[in-house]
Amino acid sequence: MTRAVRALAAVLIALGIFVLPASPASAHAALIGSIPAPGSIVGSSPTEIVVTFSEGITPVTGRVQVLDPDGRRISGTPTVSGTTLRIPVGKAGQPLGTYLVSYRVISADSHPVGGAITFSVGAPSATPPEAGPAETHRSVTLATPVTRFLGYAGLTLAVGPALFLALLWPRRRSRTGATRTVYAGLVLVGVATLGSLWTQAPASSGAALWDVRPAELGQVLTSSYGLTLIARLAALAIAAALLPAVLRGGASRIKGLTLLAVALGGMVTWPLTGHAAASPLAAAVVASDVVHIAAMAVWLGGLITLTVFLLRRTHPRVLGVILPVWSRWAALAVVWLVGGGAVQAVVQVGTVRALWETDYGRLLLAKVGVLAATLAVAAYARRLVNRRQVPASGAGAMRRTVGIEVAATVVILGLSAVLVQVNPGRSATVDEGAVREDGVSQTLTCPLYTLQFNIFPTQVGDNNTIHAFVYTPAGAPLPADEWTVTSQLLGRDLEPVTEPLLPLVPRHHAAGAITFPYPGQYEIKFTVRIGELNQATVKTTIDVPADTAKR
């Protein structure tokens, strides 16, 4: 095995160590409400179920259904409008008991999301219907990060050597090894893309990796996710046709610029199939992600090229010409790398608190820490180059320094591959605020609006969280201008306590806390103002037990 092959294998193995343990995020599109509310008891069976998510979704064909108390499917074809999923359930007058709403959808960032909610008509069933498995199959969980890892690794192996071969390669050094590395990188990207197309089918259906039906694969290929990856394959084919002249160092300016445009177009497909596509300020985040990926590919790919091909057996005088130019390239790449990453971090983390309270934030802090250490090593290498110590002392010190940089940047790339599988901090915050089936959930109506709420955990004390959602009587989202909640313990001579709820604009969603000083039955009133003049109050009663462990 040649030195180049051993070095490239080491890079792939090191990346794999970080990527293989990663599991796909479980809820990129979080459930934030439904009508009827999860766990609620309503007086009559609805003719339509409305489920609202935190971001746009696409239903998986045949995997959205409503089962009646007898386990029979009563739902029709679901429809989607943005973040709202509507499921028709036929005529009213269905049997009393517990209904199951089972769903599997694809979130806007291409990740599959499965789940189920229940509600009851009249009274809960003694044996409610059961949902099928909502989790992604273990084989798909393992395969998904592998395909992403291969894509990142291939991009790195293609970009760095190609840049050196086109612009900075010594005339007396053989180009064969570096050229093969570029084409190996393209092959890895192609294999990763085909693997992602295949993996998306069982990820959507919930089946095993090997259980893929032609119809499911066809749905993936015609989806926005599939079309984006097909565009990536087309960009690879065009790049492969343009590369030979570029890698020989004799390409025309037009051919070189065309290859650059194709490469950037191909890189756009990565953020379009990830978190960036579903994030706020999507255009800015996609652009910053492209910059981030390109800068990392240039930096890490260039370091690998130096380590494997150039720092050995290259005359110190030649290195004295190459290294100052590379040092400037690397510095520029690092600036763009940090800038693009900063834009993404601000948008995807959401809040400062999410940095240490979410997996995404903690991984991001680890990535920043490793990057800071890597930049310190890179600064030392740049100082050697600026002082022209490499030709004087040989390339040994530079090889060791660049080797450390390669190892550290491999860690960074591995953490990046893990990050794309983890819910962004902003989404994790939504998950925490999503409607829960435990605690108390009810739906209240009045002529002005329909309100559903969830109180968790409904126990004595001040640590009860309350979330409320308001809709039009027809079930459409309805922005509210002011929310208050009033609680009063019945049967005792105590005054009611009124507290404001924080409206989460622009959603029809408010959150806050509610205190229950004693066990007993409480009257809960919600007062919601819509616009300047319209205001109405709805109320209900809930029980707060003395011993929550017995609930």
Side-chain angles (χ1 to χ4, degrees):
M1 184 181 291
T2 66
R3 183 176 65 253
V5 173
R6 287 197 300 269
L8 296 181
V11 170
L12 297 179
I13 293 171
L15 281 171
I17 291 173
F18 287 95
V19 177
L20 286 176
S23 59
S26 59
H28 289 259
L31 172 70
I32 63 171
S34 69
I35 299 178
S40 63
I41 300 176
V42 297
S44 60
S45 58
T47 58
E48 181 183 62
I49 311 297
V50 180
V51 186
T52 305
F53 295 89
S54 60
E55 63 182 51
I57 52 96
T58 301
V60 177
T61 303
R63 298 304 301 274
V64 177
Q65 56 185 330
V66 179
L67 303 182
D68 70 7
D70 298 323
R72 295 174 299 186
R73 180 169 180 168
I74 60 172
S75 53
T77 302
T79 59
V80 174
S81 176
T83 62
T84 302
L85 174 69
R86 296 180 178 274
I87 313 169
V89 291
K91 61 182 181 180
Q94 300 288 348
L96 301 179
T98 300
Y99 288 71
L100 173 72
V101 182
S102 176
Y103 60 85
R104 193 166 185 85
V105 298
I106 306 299
S107 57
D109 62 3
S110 79
H111 290 87
V113 178
I117 59 177
T118 61
F119 66 92
S120 300
V121 176
S125 300
T127 56
E130 296 183 359
E135 296 82 7
T136 302
H137 193 273
R138 180 63 176 171
S139 60
V140 179
T141 299
L142 293 174
T144 300
V146 170
T147 59
R148 293 185 180 276
F149 142 65
L150 290 176
Y152 285 134
L155 192 63
T156 299
L157 296 178
V159 170
L163 191 62
F164 266 88
L165 287 167
L167 302 174
L168 206 58
W169 198 261
R171 285 182 294 179
R172 296 185 179 181
R173 291 301 305 268
S174 171
R175 295 173 176 262
T176 303
T179 299
R180 289 175 178 174
T181 301
V182 172
Y183 285 111
L186 293 182
V187 171
L188 279 179
V189 174
V191 170
T193 304
L194 293 174
S196 296
L197 285 169
W198 179 274
T199 304
Q200 185 71 1
S204 301
S205 65
L209 183 64
W210 50 87
D211 186 11
V212 176
R213 301 175 183 177
E216 296 170 348
L217 194 58
Q219 291 174 11
V220 171
L221 292 174
T222 56
S223 67
S224 59
Y225 178 86
L227 294 175
T228 301
L229 293 191
I230 291 173
R232 183 187 300 174
L233 292 174
L236 279 178
I238 297 173
L242 295 172
L243 268 173
V246 174
L247 298 184
R248 290 194 300 268
S252 64
R253 182 183 296 271
I254 293 178
K255 186 169 288 188
L257 292 176
T258 302
L259 179 60
L260 178 62
V262 171
L264 290 176
M267 290 182 187
V268 172
T269 62
W270 266 272
L272 289 181
T273 56
H275 296 314
S279 64
L281 304 174
V285 177
V286 167
S288 67
D289 202 2
V290 171
V291 169
H292 192 70
I293 292 172
M296 175 58 77
V298 169
W299 187 28
L300 179 55
L303 291 174
I304 292 173
T305 306
L306 286 174
T307 303
V308 176
F309 301 109
L310 295 179
L311 289 181
R312 294 179 182 271
R313 300 179 183 178
T314 300
H315 196 280
R317 292 181 181 178
V318 177
L319 290 178
V321 175
I322 293 174
L323 291 178
V325 178
W326 160 250
S327 181
R328 291 191 292 271
W329 289 1
L332 186 61
V334 167
V335 170
W336 285 105
L337 173 74
V338 173
V343 172
Q344 294 181 71
V346 169
V347 176
Q348 302 291 21
V349 173
T351 64
V352 175
R353 187 182 59 160
L355 282 172
W356 58 84
E357 290 188 352
T358 65
D359 291 339
Y360 188 92
R362 288 187 287 268
L363 281 170
L364 183 62
L365 289 177
K367 181 179 175 181
V368 171
V370 177
L371 177 61
T374 308
L375 293 181
V377 176
Y380 172 72
R382 183 174 175 82
R383 191 157 51 247
L384 289 179
V385 173
N386 291 339
R387 293 177 180 177
R388 300 188 180 276
Q389 294 181 3
V390 176
S393 60
M398 180 59 69
R399 281 200 305 269
R400 290 189 292 271
T401 303
V402 173
I404 295 173
E405 284 189 69
V406 170
T409 48
V410 165
V411 174
I412 294 172
L413 196 55
L415 290 171
S416 299
V418 175
L419 274 175
V420 301
Q421 300 300 316
V422 177
N423 252 354
R426 58 179 175 82
S427 297
T429 303
V430 171
D431 286 346
E432 292 172 1
V435 170
R436 309 181 60 149
E437 287 206 51
D438 41 13
V440 173
S441 296
Q442 291 186 22
T443 299
L444 308 175
T445 60
C446 68
L448 183 61
Y449 57 78
T450 294
L451 182 143
Q452 61 177 224
F453 72 91
N454 173 267
I455 301 176
F456 176 84
T458 320
Q459 64 184 17
V460 175
D462 59 358
N463 61 338
N464 296 282
T465 301
I466 183 169
H467 294 274
F469 304 82
V470 66
Y471 304 86
T472 66
L478 180 63
D481 296 283
E482 185 178 0
W483 308 62
T484 60
V485 59
T486 301
S487 60
Q488 183 178 19
L489 179 60
L490 301 178
R492 299 186 63 172
D493 189 17
L494 296 175
E495 294 297 318
V497 177
T498 300
E499 300 178 8
L501 292 179
L502 177 64
L504 303 183
V505 180
R507 297 191 188 101
H508 51 291
H509 175 196
I514 189 169
T515 301
F516 300 121
Y518 304 103
Q521 187 177 60
Y522 282 79
E523 182 180 69
I524 307 295
K525 294 182 180 180
F526 292 89
T527 300
V528 181
R529 178 169 61 84
I530 310 295
E532 293 294 330
L533 302 176
N534 296 322
Q535 178 173 299
T537 298
V538 291
K539 63 182 180 179
T540 187
T541 58
I542 65 171
D543 292 320
V544 177
D547 185 0
T548 56
K550 297 179 180 180
R551 296 184 62 209

